[in-house]
Amino acid sequence: MNLRIVHSVRVPAGIICRVVSMLILSKTAGIFSRSPKSNVYGFLRRFSVCHGTLCPHKLVLGIETSCDDTAAAVVDEAGHVLGEAIHSQTEVHLKTGGIVPPVAQQLHRENIQRIVEETLSASSISPCDLSAIATTIKPGLALSLGVGLSFSLQLVNQFKKPFIPIHHMEAHALTIRLTNKVEFPFLVLLISGGHCLLALVRGVSDFLLLGKSLDIAPGDMLDKVARRLSLIKHPECSTMSGGKAIEHLAKQGNRFHFTINPPMQNAKNCDFSFTGLQHVIDKLIKHKEKEEGVEKGQILSSAADIAAVVQHTTACHLAKRTHRAILFCKQKNLLSPANAVLVVSGGVASNLYIRRALEIVANATQCTFLCPPPRLCTDNGIMIAWNGIERLRAGLGILHDVKDIRYEPKCPLGVDISKEVSDAAIKVPQLKIQLDS
Ligand code: KG4
Ligand code: ZN
């Protein structure tokens, strides 16, 4: 498309479209009342020069509501983030001692329209300018997924846009391709509040699952330990997620005050377990409460030491399983021999201590270690929009008919080859994880 055609066709179409969208989304009037200057810049940002002419960028709106964050973003095919907005429910759920699904659903309902409006407004675009709408439909909390899906389908139907259903964990895994130049295949460790997975990423929707948590996820365990330690009452941690509070407090603690063995030391596979560790920490807290003469619900003077040891033990467990996964991939020639890449993502990957432990593993196995910045590790709309762009470019899973689309609270990631990993029974050499908190 050349510049002339762009001007004669797209501009009037865009203006008409804006008027239509103002009528349809009456509550979104604010989006379209931006200054002419910012509209010009917004308009120009939607084009790139290709072969000497201006071509419109593909733009995807991503919507995320799988858990407790209502998030949206517009990303273009070059990976530029045009705008984003997020509403976190962390503070509310901290007060109720965990996520209460109907409360999460209600908060998503209250915020989704505003978040999408703010995103479009920050991007200086109208829904008509979008190439597609991408939304997390699996896995996640049923009530939360439902809000994002029904809102998205309304937009899809009103603006006649293609719909791209997104797998939340695939989106976490591919975020790194937005921030870094990473080719397939690469190994990914996904650690969050709901998941713990090791997978080989061979393509946009081509994953081999090497191992996963047999019980709870590391983020869930850290959240439970933080609650048991009543960190919400700690003046420095009262608004932090459990995992973040543990990381913050661990910096002031001494992990050498306790010795705790990492879980599953004799299982030569890439699976994980965190329930046992949680129980050991529970018992330790009970013991310390007795010793310090502190009531349950009060803050222990040894809370920082406990945070340090739980963080260290978690890091060692994650490091050992990841080390085995790298050795397995190398043995089976699944990673590029010239440039093997380990990616770590998900909310728990924003923990810098855990990152450094995994970096030690990557260095010892001659892998390049990559992590998205912390704010792209926790849930966000950018990763969903980017996954939409990846799918659009690959021509995968773009729907023009959304009649049969349903959300799926449970959904595996990729093809499970964990039995093959377990059968290989790879012994992992000892690695010293010596880090300052
Ligand atoms: O990926 P995410 O935002 O949501 C899920 O898909 O689960 O991850 C949230 C989890 C929570 O369990 C939270 O405690 C944990 O990530 N988390 C952390 C840190 N920041 C968030 N865990 C350890 N250290 C952190 N700095
Ligand atoms: Zn997540």
Side-chain angles (χ1 to χ4, degrees), residues 21-281:
S21 46
M22 282 168 84
L23 294 173
I24 297 171
L25 277 179
S26 57
K27 281 172 85 179
T28 63
I31 297 172
F32 307 109
S33 58
R34 294 180 68 83
S35 73
K37 191 173 163 198
S38 77
N39 275 337
V40 168
Y41 286 133
F43 179 77
L44 288 175
R45 275 202 306 167
R46 279 180 263 137
F47 295 87
S48 63
V49 180
C50 39
H51 308 299
T53 57
L54 275 187
C55 305
H57 275 154
K58 288 195 168 74
L59 300 176
V60 171
L61 167 67
I63 297 179
E64 157 65 32
T65 64
S66 68
C67 191
D68 59 344
D69 291 305
T70 317
V74 174
V75 174
D76 73 12
E77 60 189 317
H80 299 127
V81 178
L82 273 71
E84 65 161 324
I86 185 160
H87 176 265
S88 165
Q89 305 176 359
T90 304
E91 280 194 45
V92 174
H93 298 307
L94 277 174
K95 286 192 190 113
T96 49
I99 299 172
V100 181
V103 174
Q105 179 189 42
Q106 183 54 30
L107 291 170
H108 283 306
R109 281 187 180 142
E110 286 169 15
N111 290 289
I112 191 159
Q113 171 133 5
R114 175 179 62 81
I115 288 299
V116 171
E117 283 173 12
E118 281 178 20
T119 299
L120 293 171
S121 171
S123 311
S124 302
I125 65 160
S126 94
C128 298
D129 301 318
L130 295 168
S131 312
I133 294 169
T135 302
T136 307
I137 67 148
K138 61 190 174 186
L141 298 173
L143 295 179
S144 296
L145 288 167
V147 178
L149 180 58
S150 62
F151 184 85
S152 301
L153 293 185
Q154 241 174 293
L155 278 183
V156 160
N157 289 327
Q158 280 177 356
F159 294 96
K160 306 278 173 275
K161 294 292 169 187
F163 181 60
I164 309 179
I166 303 292
H167 188 301
H168 182 81
M169 301 315 289
E170 290 183 4
H172 271 306
L174 296 191
T175 306
I176 199 70
R177 282 166 51 86
L178 172 83
T179 56
N180 297 67
K181 199 170 155 23
V182 183
E183 301 294 336
F184 299 118
F186 60 88
L187 181 67
V188 72
L189 170 68
L190 297 176
I191 40 181
S192 69
H195 294 90
C196 189
L197 306 167
L198 266 165
L200 184 75
V201 191
R202 299 193 301 185
V204 172
S205 74
D206 182 1
F207 291 72
L208 294 182
L209 184 68
L210 307 179
K212 62 176 189 308
S213 176
L214 303 176
D215 39 60
I216 60 173
D220 191 10
M221 183 272 296
L222 294 173
D223 290 342
K224 285 180 165 126
V225 170
R227 275 205 295 281
R228 184 63 185 81
L229 285 170
S230 304
L231 297 189
I232 191 171
K233 291 188 187 155
H234 194 291
E236 291 165 27
C237 312
S238 60
T239 59
M240 293 179 186
S241 69
K244 200 168 166 47
I246 294 282
E247 180 178 25
H248 179 81
L249 218 57
K251 293 192 184 113
Q252 304 160 24
N254 184 348
R255 71 173 172 88
F256 293 104
H257 284 184
F258 311 107
T259 309
I260 294 175
N261 289 327
M264 297 179 78
Q265 299 218 75
N266 298 322
K268 292 198 185 66
N269 55 34
C270 290
D271 289 331
F272 305 82
S273 168
F274 294 94
T275 305
L277 176 57
Q278 188 211 323
H279 288 150
V280 170
I281 299 288

Side-chain angles (χ1 to χ4, degrees), residues 356-367:
R356 290 206 304 274
L358 292 160
E359 199 172 0
I360 290 174
V361 173
N363 291 341
T365 50
Q366 291 81 47
C367 283

